[in-house]
């Protein structure tokens, strides 16, 4: 019994060493420790009140960074679904609607949701400079009693 346990332990250690070694030389290396996320910068976010004013003016675009099923379950009225996880598939249909200087609000759901931030960064890399994200967007908007819609994108 003791000998079996020692062999099992040796196999676990050998497997761990091989895995760590392979990871160290891999071009797609997985970091062993992930750094904590940076807090959002004020210039990258939009307050709910300001987002509501932009929405009422009709001069900006609201982009929902969540999955299509989450979008269909409920979204800010008039928002366009652009799931960041499927950006390359969906962006070509949305790009003709946007201009580089148009005000864009990206949102997702939850205080810790990073999808809208990732969408904002991706759009900025493509030359859209007036993009900000609404933290906890869907919940904040819905809880405030602002206009929402359910269903797939028209």
């Amino acid at each position: 019994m003791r000998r079996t346990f020692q062999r099992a332990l040796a196999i676990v250690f050998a497997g761990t060493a091989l895995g760590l070694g392979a990871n160290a030389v891999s071009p797609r290396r997985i970091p062993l420790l992930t750094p904590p996320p940076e807090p959002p910068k004020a210039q990258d976010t939009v307050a709910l009140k300001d987002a509501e004013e932009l929405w009422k003016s009709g001069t900006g675009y609201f982009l929902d960074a969540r999955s299509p099923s989450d979008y269909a379950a409920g979204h800010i009225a008039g928002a366009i679904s652009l799931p960041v996880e499927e950006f390359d598939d969906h962006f070509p249909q949305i790009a003709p609607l946007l201009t580089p200087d148009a005000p864009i609000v990206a949102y997702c759901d939850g205080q810790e949701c990073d999808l809208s931030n990732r969408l904002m960064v991706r759009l900025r890399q493509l030359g859209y400079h007036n993009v900000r994200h609404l933290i906890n967007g869907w919940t904040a908007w819905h809880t405030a009693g602002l206009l929402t819609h359910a269903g797939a994108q028209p």
Side-chain angles (χ1 to χ4, degrees):
M1 172 89 157
R2 184 175 180 179
R3 189 174 182 115
T4 303
F5 178 74
Q6 288 174 339
R7 287 182 180 167
L9 198 56
I11 290 171
V12 168
F13 283 128
T16 301
L18 285 172
L20 289 172
N23 185 51
V25 298
S26 172
R28 298 186 325 174
R29 185 173 187 263
I30 300 170
L32 298 178
L33 299 173
T34 56
E38 289 186 31
K41 297 175 184 153
Q43 68 267 22
D44 292 340
T45 63
V46 61
L48 179 62
K49 179 183 172 191
D50 296 333
E52 180 185 5
E53 289 176 15
L54 182 62
W55 181 85
K56 285 180 179 177
S57 74
T59 59
Y61 296 93
F62 283 73
L63 301 180
D64 191 321
R66 302 174 300 156
S67 71
S69 61
D70 287 339
Y71 175 88
H75 55 269
I76 294 173
I80 301 167
S81 177
L82 182 54
V84 73
E85 300 291 345
E86 302 165 14
F87 185 89
D88 292 332
D89 296 333
H90 293 268
F91 185 70
Q93 292 85 26
I94 293 161
L97 304 173
L98 307 175
T99 60
D101 296 322
I104 299 171
V105 175
Y107 73 91
C108 55
D109 189 24
Q111 291 289 342
E112 301 299 319
C113 181
D114 190 43
L115 298 174
S116 60
N117 185 55
R118 289 172 40 204
L119 180 57
M120 176 191 68
V121 169
R122 190 82 188 266
L123 289 168
R124 285 182 177 175
Q125 289 170 342
L126 294 174
Y128 298 91
H129 303 290
N130 199 4
V131 185
R132 295 183 292 166
H133 67 106
L134 178 60
I135 297 175
N136 198 21
W138 168 245
T139 297
W141 192 272
H142 187 261
T143 303
L146 300 172
L147 194 57
T148 63
H149 190 273
Q153 191 156 273

